[in-house]
Amino acid sequence: MHDTSSLIKRLPKCELHIHIEGSLEPELMFALARRNGIRLLYESVDALRQAYRFRNLQDFLDIYYQGMSVLITEQDFYDLASAYLQRARADNVRHVEMFFDPQGHTARGVAFSTVVGGLHRAITDARRELGVDASLIMCFLRHLDEVDAEKTLDCALAFRDKIVGIGLDSSESGNPPSKFRRVFARARDAGFFVTAHAGEEGPPSYVWEALDVLGVARIDHGNRSLEDQALVGRLAREHVALTVCPLSNLRLRVVDDLTHHPLRRMLDKGLMVSVNSDDPAYFGGYVNDNYHAVSDALRLERDEIAAIVRNGISASLMTASEKDSALAEIARVLAEPL
Ligand code: ADE
Ligand code: ZN
């Protein structure tokens, strides 16, 4: 156990599935509420944490959108991202692809430039001060319509140099990827990397649509792909990366117990799975906590943990030489005496 914990810490990791608004810890939420003169629905940090008992994705999203209402100024977004990046550095995360939800802010009257400005400044400082490399993936909220997503893409085009990719998140059931066919085509034409949440609560057909209609390069979650053997074959053959989030799946009741988590079956079927934190402030753990929890529950071997970390590196937007040096470092860590 001690050995596994030390291995997880020493391996240089990528985090490819983190919603930056989901890293808003209750303490920072209260501090920002005070700074901005906002009254929260909960009396204290403890009362707020007590409310983090979710029956499903929608239960969580309702609280997540309430929580982000304390983010108003450029400095707020800077403080949010800085806190996460420091936490990521402590977990030996070297490269982050950070989701953000601009529609959750612009709908409240916060300018798009305020959001991107604060997040980007934190990323620039973290690169210099922490040695963590991070980039931004803007998500469309799928419970809103495509016209709203189109307007959001127009905003992003003015910040093309600060945003690397486009994703799709929020309430999955009833909001299939095909709802966003046109706006994703436009995002791809503009040269953005594209990814989408699919198969978290939604059916395998949503994973097919994300691949075939949206043309995504990765699938975020993808758990329910295992219900469709033809889909599993396709994902394995085409080395489509799945960004899996074990503690999120547990807390949102996508799985009833981590010992039943599909990660081992995914590995056994040759799927390219990585481990990520999703919304760490809400789900009880950052990336290393996710590695620990799922390794303990599934009794993962050293080689399996290393394979998952390598998958995250291969599936990332690191350059080929950055990938080579991270993979070489992993080989050195594995060769170190126990
Ligand atoms: N937004 C933040 N976290 C999410 C998740 N796990 N699924 C869908 N949308 C999200
Ligand atoms: Zn997510």
Side-chain angles (χ1 to χ4, degrees):
M1 171 54 214
H2 179 69
D3 170 43
T4 305
S5 173
S6 145
L7 177 72
I8 290 168
K9 174 80 195 284
R10 284 179 292 135
L11 290 169
K13 289 166 290 287
C14 288
E15 174 135 70
L16 307 180
H17 188 157
I18 158 78
H19 301 263
I20 196 62
E21 296 91 343
S23 74
L24 178 57
E25 291 287 348
E27 290 79 4
L28 182 58
M29 194 189 295
F30 272 85
L32 296 182
R34 240 185 335 271
R35 188 156 95 187
N36 291 322
I38 292 170
R39 201 186 150 89
L40 291 170
L41 289 176
Y42 300 91
E43 282 303 312
S44 65
V45 163
D46 283 348
L48 179 58
R49 278 197 210 279
Q50 286 297 315
Y52 293 177
R53 292 164 199 245
F54 313 114
R55 285 165 304 176
N56 52 36
L57 174 59
Q58 192 59 51
D59 263 5
F60 157 68
L61 290 169
D62 292 343
I63 286 209
Y64 168 78
Y65 294 122
Q66 263 177 42
M68 66 173 76
S69 68
V70 301
L71 299 164
I72 308 284
T73 66
E74 198 252 16
Q75 188 64 39
D76 298 340
F77 288 93
Y78 177 90
D79 291 345
L80 172 71
S82 290
Y84 164 73
L85 289 163
Q86 284 172 36
R87 192 61 188 69
R89 185 68 193 86
D91 275 359
N92 203 10
V93 172
R94 306 291 179 81
H95 172 97
V96 177
E97 293 169 24
M98 185 187 286
F99 293 140
F100 71 111
D101 284 333
Q103 289 156 296
H105 312 300
T106 53
R108 300 180 287 110
V110 177
F112 191 92
S113 59
T114 301
V115 180
V116 174
L119 298 178
H120 186 259
R121 187 160 64 85
I123 285 172
T124 305
D125 287 355
R127 189 167 294 137
R128 195 184 55 246
E129 291 163 13
L130 304 173
V132 178
D133 176 52
S135 49
L136 291 173
I137 298 182
M138 177 183 88
C139 289
F140 300 129
L141 298 182
R142 68 201 304 160
H143 66 274
L144 300 178
D145 62 24
E146 191 176 34
V147 173
D148 213 297
E150 293 277 12
K151 289 184 195 145
T152 308
L153 180 59
D154 291 339
C155 292
L157 291 171
F159 292 87
R160 188 65 195 81
D161 57 327
K162 298 186 172 62
I163 299 171
V164 292
I166 299 293
L168 183 66
D169 66 3
S170 193
S171 321
E172 188 179 6
S173 298
N175 294 300
S178 51
K179 184 175 160 187
F180 298 93
R181 177 199 308 266
R182 283 177 299 263
V183 72
F184 266 75
R186 205 152 68 82
R188 285 199 320 270
D189 288 348
F192 286 107
F193 171 84
V194 293
T195 182
H197 283 54
E200 180 184 17
E201 285 188 347
S205 64
Y206 284 21
V207 180
W208 285 107
E209 281 190 12
L211 296 170
D212 292 333
V213 180
L214 303 187
V216 299
R218 287 200 302 245
I219 296 289
D220 299 311
H221 295 293
N223 298 38
R224 290 191 60 192
S225 305
L226 291 181
E227 294 169 25
D228 179 336
Q229 289 321 300
L231 178 57
V232 169
R234 161 103 182 258
L235 295 170
R237 245 184 347 269
E238 297 183 7
H239 307 290
V240 177
L242 307 182
T243 63
V244 170
C245 306
L247 289 174
S248 164
N249 295 155
L250 182 66
R251 298 294 285 268
L252 300 185
R253 307 207 194 173
V254 168
V255 296
D256 60 0
D257 190 297
L258 276 187
T259 59
H260 301 146
H261 194 279
L263 184 77
R264 175 174 296 285
R265 274 174 289 144
M266 289 169 158
L267 284 171
D268 291 346
K269 288 176 187 290
L271 300 184
M272 197 170 164
V273 287
S274 63
V275 163
N276 307 272
S277 69
D278 207 6
D279 299 283
Y282 291 91
F283 301 149
Y286 286 77
V287 76
N288 284 2
D289 302 314
N290 275 271
Y291 272 99
H292 288 141
V294 81
S295 304
D296 281 356
L298 300 179
R299 302 192 177 284
L300 296 181
E301 304 283 348
R302 281 168 66 85
D303 287 353
E304 290 172 310
I305 296 169
I308 296 166
V309 172
R310 277 193 214 98
N311 285 342
I313 288 162
S314 304
S316 77
L317 296 171
M318 279 178 160
T319 64
S321 78
E322 287 166 346
K323 288 183 185 182
D324 286 347
S325 67
L327 294 173
E329 188 176 340
I330 290 174
R332 282 197 298 278
V333 169
L334 291 173
E336 284 166 7
L338 294 180

